[in-house]
């Protein structure tokens, strides 16, 4: 029987029309894209909304962006209107879009993560992505995601607060990302996102100062793609026997890049920084991926995942 939609994937119980996911912080709350008449949300599997905290945040002092060769440093500092405003005012305006909506949640304490998750539990959100790269204020500011115990504590608090699918977003700024992944899975994470940005810095040599107001920022875009691809492939060795899906991401800018991530083990792929250059690239990758599957006689994108040949 012909597969009615070869691009459909099941992400921890969330059925996506397409394996293309728009990444957090790169598509706002979907309202700018919704203002583009020709933007076809049917070709977008899910949108990870901007990182959201319990209270509204102004974010970091400017400058917040610095361009790098083949990439970008950002230090936005989680500017957002707060979880209640997102749930009560923004979600009703975007809930009927023909795509899945994933909240991306952040916090300074474990309790805050739980409270934000509880607000979204009671909303039309399809899933909750946990950004564990935030500083743990009670533990001297080290990122929750840098330590398996604190990462597990965050996931467990979110698990207690919601029955919606949970996706833990892994940071590459650690010695052993799979160890953090294992802790997140054991604490109840249904899926994983990999990778978040790599920490970096840029300097203005005339002023002899860091360019970013926050001094350091997260590097994203094509510059990080080879690193992200290796991390996803390594992660797949862990997740495959556990049947935990991965949203592969980091520097994907064209269909070839996306296919590389599927081969390495991604079930869905994320487009982030590339959207700033061309917001229509995501729907174009959807179309070209369909064509690739057809040309290669591969029945579905799910059949492509993890099929990298090693010999
Ligand atoms: C401007 C900007 C803002 C971001 N904001 C968030 C955020 O709020 N939460 C989060 O988990 N990731 C955030 N990210 C990380 C992206 O979602 C993505 O994981 C990362 O940039 C790697 O993918 P890319 O190279 O395709 O952009 C942000 C990235 C950028 C460039």
């Amino acid at each position: 029987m012909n597969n009615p939609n070869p691009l459909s994937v099941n992400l921890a119980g969330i059925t996506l029309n397409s394996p293309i996911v728009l990444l957090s912080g790169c598509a706002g709350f979907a309202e700018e894209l919704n203002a583009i008449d020709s933007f076809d949300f049917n070709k977008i599997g899910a949108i990870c909304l901007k990182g959201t905290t319990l209270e509204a945040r102004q974010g970091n002092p400017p400058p917040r962006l610095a361009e790098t060769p083949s990439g970008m440093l950002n230090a936005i500092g989680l500017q957002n209107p707060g979880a209640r405003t997102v749930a009560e005012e923004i979600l009703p305006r975007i809930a009927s879009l023909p795509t899945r909506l994933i909240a991306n949640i952040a916090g300074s304490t474990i309790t805050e993560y739980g409270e934000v998750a509880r607000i979204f539990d009671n909303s039309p959100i399809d899933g909750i992505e946990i950004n564990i790269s935030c500083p743990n204020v009670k533990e001297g500011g080290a990122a929750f995601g840098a330590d398996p115990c604190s990462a597990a504590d965050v996931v467990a608090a979110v698990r207690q607060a919601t029955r919606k699918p949970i996706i833990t977003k892994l940071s590459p700024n650690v010695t052993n990302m799979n160890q953090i992944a294992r802790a997140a899975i054991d604490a109840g994470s249904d899926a994983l996102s990999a990778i978040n940005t790599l920490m970096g810095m840029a300097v203005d040599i005339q002023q002899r100062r860091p360019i970013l107001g926050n001094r350091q920022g997260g590097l994203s875009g094509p510059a990080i793609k080879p690193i992200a691809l290796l991390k996803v492939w390594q992660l797949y060795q862990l997740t495959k026997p556990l049947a935990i899906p991965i949203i592969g991401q980091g520097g994907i800018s064209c269909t070839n890049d996306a296919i590389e991530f599927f081969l390495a083990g991604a079930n869905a792929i994320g487009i982030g920084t590339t959207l700033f250059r061309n917001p229509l690239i995501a729907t174009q990758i959807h179309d070209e991926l369909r064509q690739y599957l057809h040309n290669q006689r591969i029945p579905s994108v799910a059949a492509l995942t993890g099929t990298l040949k090693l010999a």
Side-chain angles (χ1 to χ4, degrees), residues 23-25 50-51 72 74 104 131 169 196 220-221 249 251 272-273:
L23 296 177
S24 182
K50 174 65 190 152
M72 183 168 97
N74 91 80
N104 177 286
N131 178 2
K169 184 159 177 178
N196 208 327
S220 63
Q249 62 198 265
T273 301

Side-chain angles (χ1 to χ4, degrees), residues 2-271:
N2 268 347
N3 186 343
N5 178 6
L7 292 189
S8 168
V9 292
N10 180 331
L11 193 86
I14 316 171
T15 304
L16 309 186
N17 277 336
S18 162
I20 314 290
V21 174
L22 305 188
L23 296 177
S24 182
C26 304
F29 290 98
E31 296 192 285
E32 292 84 354
L33 290 174
N34 203 12
I36 304 175
D37 278 346
S38 57
F39 196 86
D40 188 355
F41 284 94
N42 289 294
K43 294 180 178 176
I44 302 298
I47 302 178
C48 295
L49 302 178
K50 174 65 190 152
T52 302
T53 47
L54 187 58
E55 304 301 338
R57 281 174 62 108
Q58 298 297 317
N60 286 329
R64 295 168 166 194
L65 295 179
E67 210 168 316
T68 69
S70 296
M72 183 168 97
L73 282 167
N74 91 80
I76 307 296
L78 290 173
Q79 180 182 358
N80 78 94
R84 283 186 200 85
T85 303
V86 174
E88 289 163 19
E89 294 175 28
I90 299 178
L91 280 183
R93 297 200 291 264
I94 58 172
S96 63
L97 291 174
T99 186
R100 301 294 188 173
L101 298 177
I102 297 175
N104 177 286
I105 70 168
S108 322
T109 63
I110 290 180
T111 318
E112 181 180 354
Y113 277 100
E115 287 180 46
V116 178
R118 200 161 288 114
I119 292 169
F120 283 118
D121 186 53
N122 206 3
S123 82
I125 277 295
D126 295 293
I128 297 182
E129 181 178 62
I130 316 174
N131 178 2
I132 56 171
S133 303
C134 307
N136 180 349
V137 292
K138 290 197 176 142
E139 297 291 337
F144 290 99
D147 168 70
C149 294
S150 57
D153 287 346
V154 172
V155 176
V158 174
R159 182 73 291 165
Q160 271 215 322
T162 182
R163 299 185 64 174
K164 303 217 185 224
I166 297 177
I167 304 152
T168 303
K169 184 159 177 178
L170 299 166
S171 167
N173 304 306
V174 294
T175 310
N176 185 343
M177 195 181 84
N178 276 17
Q179 198 185 11
I180 311 293
R182 181 77 228 201
I185 295 166
D186 290 346
S189 191
D190 303 296
L192 300 168
S193 268
I195 57 172
N196 208 327
T197 54
L198 288 136
M199 290 315 291
M201 188 179 192
V203 167
D204 178 332
I205 60 160
Q206 303 304 334
Q207 308 243 16
R208 293 192 245 163
R209 289 176 190 279
I211 291 179
L212 293 171
N214 187 51
R215 300 176 187 166
Q216 54 180 301
L219 181 66
S220 63
I224 71 168
K225 198 203 85 182
I227 301 169
L229 190 62
L230 176 63
K231 295 275 183 202
V232 166
W233 181 69
Q234 290 171 336
L235 186 59
Y236 183 62
Q237 313 310 311
L238 170 75
T239 58
K240 187 183 177 188
L242 305 171
I244 295 286
I246 303 172
I247 306 177
Q249 62 198 265
I252 296 176
S253 66
C254 62
T255 308
N256 274 24
D257 292 346
I259 294 168
E260 287 182 49
F261 276 78
F262 288 119
L263 291 171
N267 302 81
I269 59 97
I271 319 268

